[in-house]
Structure formats: C-alpha cells, structure tokens
Amino acid sequence: MGRLIEKLKHWHTFAYFLIVYDFFAIGISYFLALWIRFDCVFSQIPKSIWDQYVDTIFVYAYITLIIYGVMGLYKSLWRYVSFYELRQTIYSVVLTGGLYYVITILFIGRFPISYHVFGIVFQFFFAVLIRFGFRFVTMLRNSYSTLKVKKNVMLIGAGYAGRMVLRDLNFVKVHDEKKDARIVCIIDDNPDKWDKCIDGVQVVGGRDSILAAVEKFKIDEIYIVIGTISSKDKRDIIAICRETDCVIKVLPARFGNTARMITAANLENITIEDVLGRAPINLKQEDVARQLRDKVVLVTGGGGSIGSELCRQIAKYEPKQLIIFDVYENNAYDIQLELRKAYPMLDLVTLIGSVRDARRIESVFATYHPNICYHAAAHKHVPLMEDSPCEAIKNNAVGTYKTAYAAMKYGCDRFVLISTDKAVNPTNVMGATKRICEMIIQTFDHMVRIHREDLLPALYTHHDDGENVGVTPGSGHTEYVAVRFGNVLGSNGSVVPLFKKQIAEGGPITLTHKDIIRYFMTIPEAVSLVLKAGANASGGEIFVLDMGEPVKILDLARNMIQLAGLKPDVDIEIEYIGLRPGEKLYEEKLMSEEGLKETENNLIHVAEPIKFDSDDFLDKLNKLMYVAYQNDAVETVQTIRDTVSTFTG
C-alpha cells in the first residue's frame, strides 16, 4: 500500500509539473510566433497587436489546459508514450488553435495569419518535446546500460502485447528494481514480420527458429507473449522452448483480449495446465443462467475444491440466495470471504454441518427451501477409504441418501450429484461408494416418476431422529441427475498438490506405477460442464464429461519437475512404490454394460443406466448403513460387493 501511495504521489507531481510547463509553453509559443512575424525584432510589434496578445493569451492558456485534461494528456504514463498520445496531442493542439483563431476573429480583432500558424506549430513542438523527450531520454539512458544486463530474453509474439512487454523491459527502468534483463530477439510466426525490427530488436523468424536463436543470442529466458493463442499452439511452442535450459514465462490468458497496459511483471511461470494444453471450454451458458437466476441454490461440500468453484460460478449468475454447506469450517470461511468481496450484493448463507446428520440436513432444507442442490460433499481419497470403509459408507452413501431424501421431502426442484469415473467398474471402496450414490440417485428418480415416494425409507441412524413424515405418494417432483468426470488438476486428493509438495521437499516423487494413466480436467472446466449438464437434465441421467486424452502420470511428474527448474532423475528422483490397494492402472468412463448417448454438446454424454432392482437395492443399502455404523469393516466391504455387482475390490 505504501509503495502504491508513493507511485500515486509521483504521478500527481509529474502531472502538476506538466500543467505548469504547458501554461508557460503556450504563452512562449505564441510570443515566438508574433516575434518571428515581425522579423524577430520586438520593437517592431505594433502596440495594438501586442495588447491583443496580452489580453488573450492567458485566457487561451487556461482553456487549453482544460482541453488537454479532457483529452487525457495528463493521465498517460509517458514512459509508454506511443502513437495514441501523439494523436491526442495533435487533436488537442489543432482544436485549441482553431478555437483561438475563430474567437479572436469574431470578438477581439485580426492577428496576422502567420501568428496563428506558427503559434500552433510551436505549441505542438513544446507539447511533444516534454512528453516524448521523457521517453527518449529513458531509451537513451537504457541503451547505455546494455553491458550491465545479466539475462538475454527471447520474446515470442510481435503483436500488441509483445510490443508492450518489449518497451517495458528494454526502455523502462522499473523503480526500486535492478534492471537485469533485456529482449535481444523476437520470434513470430507471421513471415511478413521476419527480418524486420521492432524498437530496434529483430524478428528473427517463426517457431522453427527458436532453438537456433537461443544458441545464437545466448538466451537465458523466453517470454511467450501472445494475446490470443490456441491451446495446441501454446502447448507446441512450450514443448519447443522446453528443449532448451531457458526459464519460460507466459502471458496469462486473462490478458488475451484486453487493451490495458501489459508489462513484464504480468508474466507468469508456465503451469502444468499449459504443458497439458487442454483446449479451453467455451460454453453458451444461457440455459444455466436461466436455471440459476433468482433461485435458492445449495452446495454441499461447498468449501472443497469442486464445491468452492461451484459457488464461484453460481454466484455470477445472480441467484436469489446461495447456501454453502460444509463440515469443515476453515474452507467454508475462506470461500465465504472470497464471495462476499467479489459479490457484495449476493445473499450468501454459510452453514456448518454434516450430510450424515439427518436432522441437520433436513433443517437446512426446511428453513431455506433450496430450488437446486449440488451435492459435492464426499470422502474422495482412495487409500484412506480403503482403510476406513465404514466412514466411506456413512459419508458418501448414507450422506447422499439423506440429502437426496431431504431434497424430495422439502420440494427441491433439482438434485445434482457430483460423481467420478472411479464409479465405473470400481476396484476400490471410494469408487464403489460413488457407484452406490449413483444408484441412490437413479432409485429416487424412479420412485418420484412412478409416484411411490412413500416406499423410500428415511434411513435414520437413531430412533429419535424422526419419522417418515410428509412424504406421500405423488408428493415429490425433484429431478435427480449425476455428473461423472475424472481427476481435476489441483483438486483435493489429486496428484498435482502431492507432487508439488514432494518437489518442494527435494523429492523423491512417489509414483505407484510407470504406466499408470489418468484423465485430467481443470476445476473451472469441470464445474462449467457440471452446471451445463445440470441445466439440460430431465431427470435420471448419468452425465459423462469428455475428459480429453488420458495423461501418463509419469509424464506429468517429469513435467512438473522440469517446470520447477529441475531435472528428473538428477535433481529429483522418481520412485515407484507399487499400486495401492484398490488403485487402477487406468480409469474408465463407462461400464461395459452402459451405452453412450450424444447430447447437443459434444463435451457431455449420457450413460444408459444399468438396470437394477430398486427394492432389493434399498434393502442392501439399509444393511450397509447398519454394518457401517457397527464399524464392522470386513462385513461392510462384503456388503458393498453384494450391493455393487461391478465392484472387484
């Protein structure tokens, strides 16, 4: 904050200096014009014309300063001065000079024509001199500091963004920072720019010239500064750059379609998302907006990685009320603070509680009557759930059932379950419990459709929790859907945070198997597709998101080591520890018994659900709850096998 205040003070000081300078420069400009008109002899200036000059010049100067201010000549950062500032200066000088001529002719008297012509010329000269002179002196000063430069930089991208970074780095000395880098060559795929120079720096060729230019110019760092670039092109360019030992930085995508000032400070280190190169998902979300606007929306597990992103994206669609429900208070508090700052007008409610507590979850539905519920609360860590299968059942299966039951009982319009590809032919307890969650959703949807909600037991854990009150045949109208996707980058439980921690500790990175593969998607991508699928659901579907191409975890680990500026198997060892209990070499999107139906969106598909006996399933689920609350791990796993026919764990 202190540094910002100092910068503002510096900017105001320079603006005041310019105002004073312009005031005197205007007077001097027209004095010189008058002086030249009369052969540079002051005594030859007629007294009547001199009096007209004195009577008008101060008023003219004041008016000119106001017009300069309106045209933005006191707001620009003159170290970045460019054609825009030159154009504004020309407009301002011509406008003020023209007004001066018209007003004097109409109200004061005639000056010699040359007085106005030379006055405008001198006024423009002095206005440009101070402003462009500041940049020229800065450029000249920095041109002599080349020998002090410690890092040679290659700039990839000769567009608007690239030119801004070039000027910032080569011609601007950043305050309070020692300048130690300089752009010495430029790469651009447009052949029309090859062998030409931008601010004295040569465009040496396209991406095929990167490796040769790195060697020729002894490049230390590479800046990829392209405003709009496809994920494939970005990935390909990064792949070439990573063949060098250079530090690589990129312009974040948020600067892609902006005309704001871009500096070298805006560049960031490349991320694993950049390396994987997934194409951004651009969806038309009008249907999502229609579904969420002015609705009460509940997100269970709203403090988690997926739940919190759901809250962020839901908030921008102007819901009537957004309810964050989570058992972990720290996460819930963090997203609450973030959303209150970003959306101060949002009616935000943050509640602490567990979906395992029937009385608590029913009180939430009874109090707030949410129209839509996104159920993201779940235990997700595969190894931990292998060791605690009873807790997996209590939280994932029973918690989902109790939340789905409350949604039906209190008139929720739509219930969206966040599922996982680990539910497909599950080999671990976590995946099997998520498959049970999908079966719960299908059962609820089936019972609502045939108007037999009364056949759904309340599954209360304790006898005094309540009765099956208020649920009569035909009383429910909730639509139940599930959305299934794979791993998301950076989510709780994914390998990315684990690998980052292991790299920070100096290694080794522990990998279960050299051939293990996973599907990956960014959290915002996954959530946007969840919202899209939920908006287009009609009830009973299991939506499957297109996760793109699978990624070898070994390649992911190596990439992350290199992104940290280290060498795999040299600086950071990779150890293979063997597959953990219940872990697959690869994940599947569908069970063999399921078909896949297309939707209007090629990134979202619908699985044809496996048929099962709902009554038999409910009996087994009731038994599952009983053995889980008896904390009988062996019997719980066996009952899971009896319940989920595809479970092979």
Side-chain angles (χ1 to χ4, degrees):
M1 180 59 72
R3 187 175 180 183
L4 177 61
I5 292 174
E6 288 299 320
K7 287 184 177 181
L8 288 174
K9 288 181 179 178
H10 173 77
W11 179 82
H12 285 301
T13 300
F14 190 70
Y16 294 145
F17 167 76
L18 281 179
I19 291 172
V20 174
Y21 169 87
D22 286 335
F23 183 83
F24 286 102
I26 291 164
I28 293 172
S29 297
Y30 281 89
F31 170 77
L32 290 175
L34 199 60
W35 185 60
I36 291 173
R37 167 64 180 79
F38 291 98
D39 300 326
C40 301
V41 179
F42 180 76
S43 61
Q44 292 188 13
I45 301 174
K47 184 177 185 304
S48 60
I49 293 180
W50 174 255
D51 289 341
Q52 287 178 197
Y53 165 78
V54 173
D55 291 340
T56 59
I57 194 62
F58 292 105
V59 176
Y60 172 66
Y62 284 122
I63 295 174
T64 300
L65 294 179
I66 293 172
I67 293 177
Y68 278 9
V70 172
M71 298 295 285
L73 295 186
Y74 299 121
K75 293 182 178 179
S76 295
L77 294 173
W78 294 104
R79 65 183 185 181
Y80 297 107
V81 67
S82 63
F83 175 76
Y84 171 79
E85 284 76 18
L86 179 63
R87 184 187 64 188
Q88 294 301 97
T89 304
I90 293 172
Y91 288 165
S92 301
V93 171
V94 172
L95 176 61
T96 55
L99 284 174
Y100 188 31
Y101 174 75
V102 171
I103 291 173
T104 55
I105 288 293
L106 294 178
F107 302 105
I108 307 299
R110 288 185 60 86
F111 280 100
I113 294 296
S114 61
Y115 170 78
H116 292 287
V117 173
F118 281 108
I120 289 175
V121 171
F122 281 122
Q123 182 182 337
F124 175 74
F125 170 77
F126 285 120
V128 168
L129 177 66
I130 187 66
R131 290 166 170 84
F132 283 77
F134 179 77
R135 181 185 173 194
F136 175 76
V137 171
T138 303
M139 292 170 58
L140 189 64
R141 181 180 62 190
N142 282 279
S143 67
Y144 288 109
S145 66
T146 304
L147 296 177
K148 301 177 184 179
V149 172
K150 297 179 181 178
K151 299 176 184 176
N152 290 332
V153 178
M154 171 189 288
L155 177 68
I156 300 180
Y160 169 80
R163 294 195 300 272
M164 295 294 287
V165 172
L166 172 63
R167 290 171 182 170
D168 175 56
L169 200 61
N170 279 20
F171 305 123
V172 178
K173 190 173 182 64
V174 182
H175 295 289
D176 302 324
E177 291 184 19
K178 186 176 181 180
K179 182 174 179 178
D180 64 351
R182 183 180 181 85
I183 294 173
V184 296
C185 67
I186 303 173
I187 295 291
D188 196 283
D189 282 338
N190 184 353
D192 294 337
K193 299 178 181 179
W194 295 354
D195 298 323
K196 296 181 175 62
C197 291
I198 300 176
D199 288 336
V201 182
Q202 184 181 8
V203 181
V204 298
R207 68 182 68 177
D208 294 338
S209 304
I210 291 176
L211 297 180
V214 166
E215 183 174 353
K216 177 181 178 181
F217 292 94
K218 302 186 185 311
I219 300 298
D220 301 295
E221 297 186 354
I222 300 175
Y223 295 169
I224 303 173
V225 189
I226 305 175
T228 54
I229 183 173
S230 69
S231 293
K232 182 180 183 305
D233 284 338
K234 187 176 184 179
R235 180 185 61 200
D236 292 345
I237 291 173
I238 289 175
I240 296 172
C241 295
R242 291 181 64 215
E243 293 183 31
T244 71
D245 293 327
C246 300
V247 174
I248 306 169
K249 295 186 177 182
V250 298
L251 183 70
R254 62 181 179 273
F255 291 93
N257 295 311
T258 180
R260 59 177 162 163
M261 195 67 65
I262 298 172
T263 69
N266 298 132
L267 303 180
E268 298 177 354
N269 293 327
I270 58 174
T271 65
I272 192 63
E273 289 87 349
D274 295 323
V275 174
L276 293 179
R278 283 186 55 86
I281 295 176
N282 298 312
L283 300 175
K284 293 181 179 179
Q285 299 283 41
E286 293 87 352
D287 47 356
V288 176
R290 285 193 300 270
Q291 184 194 41
L292 297 177
R293 187 171 291 118
D294 297 325
K295 300 293 178 61
V296 179
V297 183
L298 167 66
V299 180
T300 69
S305 50
I306 299 297
S308 61
E309 181 63 24
L310 275 167
C311 293
R312 291 185 191 97
Q313 295 196 26
I314 290 168
K316 69 183 180 183
Y317 291 112
E318 301 175 356
K320 179 180 179 181
Q321 187 177 61
L322 175 59
I323 305 166
I324 302 171
F325 185 80
D326 203 291
V327 72
Y328 186 42
E329 61 184 45
N330 291 347
N331 284 348
Y333 182 67
D334 287 343
I335 188 64
Q336 178 192 53
L337 291 181
E338 178 185 332
L339 293 182
R340 281 184 174 170
K341 181 179 180 180
Y343 303 95
M345 303 304 293
L346 175 65
D347 184 355
L348 182 65
V349 177
T350 305
L351 303 174
I352 303 302
S354 171
V355 293
R356 294 161 56 164
D357 186 341
R359 285 174 291 188
R360 178 57 172 155
I361 196 67
E362 288 207 6
S363 72
V364 172
F365 277 88
T367 303
Y368 298 97
H369 292 282
N371 303 105
I372 304 167
C373 174
Y374 292 94
H375 183 57
H379 287 325
K380 304 180 182 73
H381 290 260
V382 171
L384 293 181
M385 294 307 99
E386 288 299 298
D387 295 332
S388 303
C390 299
E391 298 307 306
I393 290 296
K394 294 174 189 176
N395 196 70
N396 293 3
V398 178
T400 295
Y401 189 97
K402 290 181 176 180
T403 309
Y405 189 89
M408 177 192 67
K409 183 175 179 179
Y410 293 97
C412 185
D413 297 321
R414 182 160 295 177
F415 184 97
V416 182
L417 168 72
I418 308 302
S419 189
T420 170
D421 56 3
K422 291 179 175 61
V424 182
N425 295 322
T427 58
N428 53 68
V429 168
M430 195 283 287
T433 60
K434 295 301 282 185
R435 174 55 191 154
I436 292 172
C437 292
E438 293 180 353
M439 296 169 73
I440 290 170
I441 295 309
Q442 292 174 278
T443 300
F444 268 86
D445 187 77
H446 172 68
M447 291 302 186
V448 170
R449 286 179 182 274
I450 66 173
H451 307 301
R452 294 309 309 269
E453 298 88 340
D454 57 314
L455 297 181
L456 292 166
L459 285 194
Y460 289 117
T461 310
H462 302 97
H463 294 297
D464 60 345
D465 273 351
E467 299 293 338
N468 193 0
V469 178
V471 178
T472 58
S475 63
H477 66 272
T478 309
E479 295 176 343
Y480 293 89
V481 299
V483 183
R484 182 192 293 164
F485 53 88
N487 302 277
V488 286
L489 289 168
S491 68
N492 296 331
S494 78
V495 295
V496 173
L498 173 62
F499 286 174
K500 284 182 178 179
K501 181 179 179 181
Q502 290 176 334
I503 292 171
E505 293 172 348
I509 278 184
T510 55
L511 199 63
T512 56
H513 195 284
K514 64 183 180 67
D515 295 324
I516 194 168
I517 65 172
R518 290 291 182 267
Y519 292 94
F520 281 100
M521 180 180 284
T522 66
I523 294 176
E525 285 176 332
V527 168
S528 65
L529 288 174
V530 167
L531 294 176
K532 183 74 172 177
N536 296 334
S538 58
E541 301 100 333
I542 296 177
F543 289 98
V544 181
L545 304 187
D546 185 347
M547 298 296 294
E549 295 299 319
V551 176
K552 287 191 70 172
I553 302 300
L554 176 59
D555 293 340
L556 179 68
R558 290 183 176 277
N559 283 329
M560 291 186 65
I561 294 171
Q562 291 172 340
L563 290 180
L566 304 170
K567 294 182 179 179
D569 300 319
V570 177
D571 300 311
I572 301 290
E573 295 291 333
I574 298 177
E575 290 185 0
Y576 301 101
I577 59 176
L579 290 174
R580 297 170 297 185
E583 189 171 32
K584 298 180 182 180
L585 272 179
Y586 59 93
E587 301 292 355
E588 304 163 89
K589 295 181 183 178
L590 290 169
M591 303 181 198
S592 57
E593 298 94 337
E594 292 177 321
L596 194 66
K597 293 189 297 185
E598 299 291 333
T599 68
E600 61 180 16
N601 189 305
N602 60 4
L603 297 174
I604 303 173
H605 309 280
V606 179
E608 187 69 30
I610 298 174
K611 293 184 175 12
F612 58 90
D613 188 308
S614 298
D615 294 330
D616 180 62
F617 169 70
L618 290 173
D619 290 340
K620 291 177 178 176
L621 183 62
N622 193 55
K623 180 182 177 182
L624 255 179
M625 182 184 70
Y626 175 78
V627 296
Y629 276 92
Q630 292 294 319
N631 294 309
D632 188 337
V634 175
E635 184 64 21
T636 296
V637 173
Q638 183 56 50
T639 308
I640 292 174
R641 290 193 183 96
D642 296 339
T643 307
V644 181
S645 60
T646 55
F647 178 40
T648 58

